[in-house]
Amino acid sequence: MVTAAQPLLPTPASPSAAGTRHPRAAAVRHLGPNWYASVMGTAIVATAGAGLPGGLPGLRTVCAAVWALSAVLLVTLLGARALHWTHHRDQARAHLLDPAVAPFYGCLSMALLAVGGATLLVGQDWIGTHTAVLLDAVLFSAGTVVGLGAALAVPYLMVVRHRIRPDQASPVWLLPLVAPMVSAALGPLLVPHLPAGQPRETLLLGCFAMFGLSLLAIFVMLPVIFARLLTAGPLPLVLTPTLFLVLGPLGQSTTAVGKFADFAPGVVPAPYDQGFATLAVLYGVPVLGFALLWLGLAAALVVRARRRGMGFAMTWWAFTFPVGTCVTGAEGLARHTGLVAFDWLAIALYGLLVAAWCVAAVRTARGLVSGELLATPK
């Protein structure tokens, strides 16, 4: 049976001999792939802030600083996870075989992609456009390969190796499936930097294919998750924040169709280029509307869980990246409809994103200093 604590701190295995000989490696024995959510949540603050209307003085500089922080976090976590795989392979294998933890491998892909996209959007102010394009190309390529691998491997493991009851369905299952959607939303940023002609069209339509791949997989999974809520009741307290993960594919797909419309002219032949502009509005408006409905439902359940004693856990990072995708989706709709209402919606959601990031970041730092977040799970 999967317990509520497993997605955060999986059931420990016996410490490996290698981990015992290396004190630094021992500290990361229980560092799971869910920690990449902190990188995603930080990078989206920079990406979403860069697209806000109004041109608030100093905002872009702040966003660049947040991007730099996300890059440092990514490098640090990649190193820590490398230690984990080197010295604690038993625990790493246990993560893959745990249906509550394996889906978090989608977070690695999204962390790479989120930092890469932020690099091209705001990081170029500090490192130059050429370097930013090269870095984003590397991170986008790596993140896309990892994301497609996770989208295939994790469902395979769930079917073949994991044994899951219907009441164990969780929004966490969306993570490997939404990773290709992040590639679809951020890949178009590289289109103008490719040679004109087939290279640009191939990348854009490849991103459109990943949009469809992810969207259809999510359409299959979402009813299972909602059915679990209706038949088994609210999620365990520690998992309640993961309800916000449903916002991820909704906001990210809205962002993706907006990006297709931005970059299709001159890349995709007519009349398909104008078709993307139509899709951005006809798809984005209703989907973002549903996202707002789900945001209200998830927030109400989080308030309920908080009143019943929900404490801090790494699941609180679910309040960041998914909300950030709704910000970028609203920004895209503002561009393509010209409606001021979407500008104000983006600003309001960004305020929620920044508040959530501040809380999650402070509580995570406090947990690291105290050693509680990396301690042996109870």
Side-chain angles (χ1 to χ4, degrees):
M1 178 177 178
V2 179
T3 64
Q6 278 180 310
L8 307 174
L9 298 170
T11 304
S14 301
S16 64
T20 303
R21 291 195 301 267
H22 297 78
R24 291 183 180 179
V28 300
R29 177 167 176 76
H30 303 292
L31 184 77
N34 57 310
W35 279 76
Y36 286 114
S38 62
V39 179
M40 299 158 51
T42 302
I44 197 69
V45 173
T47 300
L52 286 179
L56 184 66
L59 178 59
R60 189 169 180 86
T61 301
V62 172
C63 289
V66 174
W67 157 76
L69 175 61
S70 71
V72 171
L73 290 175
L74 176 61
V75 172
T76 302
L77 273 175
L78 287 174
R81 288 286 296 163
L83 279 176
H84 181 273
W85 269 95
T86 301
H87 298 287
H88 303 292
R89 292 180 183 176
D90 60 328
Q91 188 75 344
R93 287 192 294 270
H95 286 170
L96 285 172
L97 297 178
D98 189 336
V101 181
F104 282 102
Y105 274 91
C107 290
L108 168 58
S109 165
M110 291 184 280
L112 295 168
L113 293 165
V115 174
T119 300
L120 197 52
L121 284 171
V122 296
Q124 63 174 315
D125 295 352
W126 288 12
I127 63 176
T129 301
H130 180 70
T131 303
V133 170
L134 291 178
L135 183 56
D136 184 28
V138 171
L139 292 175
F140 173 78
S141 300
T144 298
V145 170
V146 172
L148 291 174
L152 176 63
V154 174
Y156 175 84
L157 288 173
M158 293 175 73
V159 172
V160 175
R161 300 297 300 273
H162 302 163
R163 293 296 174 262
I164 305 169
R165 299 192 314 269
D167 64 343
Q168 293 174 330
S170 163
V172 169
W173 292 0
L174 296 172
L175 289 171
L177 303 180
V178 78
M181 186 68 78
V182 180
S183 292
L186 295 175
L189 297 175
L190 287 167
V191 167
H193 303 283
L194 292 177
Q198 290 212 7
R200 292 184 180 183
E201 186 176 358
T202 299
L203 176 57
L204 190 63
L205 292 185
C207 290
F208 191 39
M210 287 189 286
F211 166 85
L213 175 158
S214 179
L215 188 66
L216 294 176
I218 289 162
F219 280 166
V220 171
M221 191 65 73
L222 269 179
V224 177
I225 295 169
F226 190 61
R228 180 255 176 261
L229 292 175
L230 293 179
T231 57
L235 294 173
L237 296 183
V238 72
L239 289 179
T240 302
T242 65
L243 289 169
F244 274 67
L245 294 177
V246 176
L247 297 176
L250 302 176
Q252 199 67 278
S253 61
T254 303
T255 302
V257 293
K259 293 298 183 184
F260 299 152
D262 290 340
F263 294 96
V267 174
V268 179
Y272 303 112
D273 55 346
Q274 295 305 312
F276 279 116
T278 302
L279 179 66
V281 177
L282 296 186
Y283 173 90
V285 173
V287 170
L288 191 60
F290 178 69
L292 294 177
L293 172 66
W294 189 271
L295 175 61
L297 174 63
L301 289 170
V302 166
V303 170
R304 175 187 179 276
R306 186 65 172 160
R307 289 176 175 174
R308 283 163 172 74
M310 181 187 75
F312 175 75
M314 287 299 289
T315 49
W316 282 34
W317 282 99
F319 298 140
T320 57
F321 188 81
V323 174
T325 66
C326 293
V327 176
T328 56
E331 291 169 351
L333 286 175
R335 289 194 307 273
H336 293 288
T337 64
L339 292 178
V340 178
F342 286 117
D343 285 332
W344 285 109
L345 177 60
I347 292 172
L349 290 174
Y350 189 71
L352 177 62
L353 167 63
V354 171
W357 181 85
C358 289
V359 172
V362 170
R363 297 296 294 271
T364 301
R366 186 184 303 172
L368 283 172
V369 171
S370 66
E372 181 180 355
L373 289 179
L374 292 177
T376 301
K378 298 179 181 180

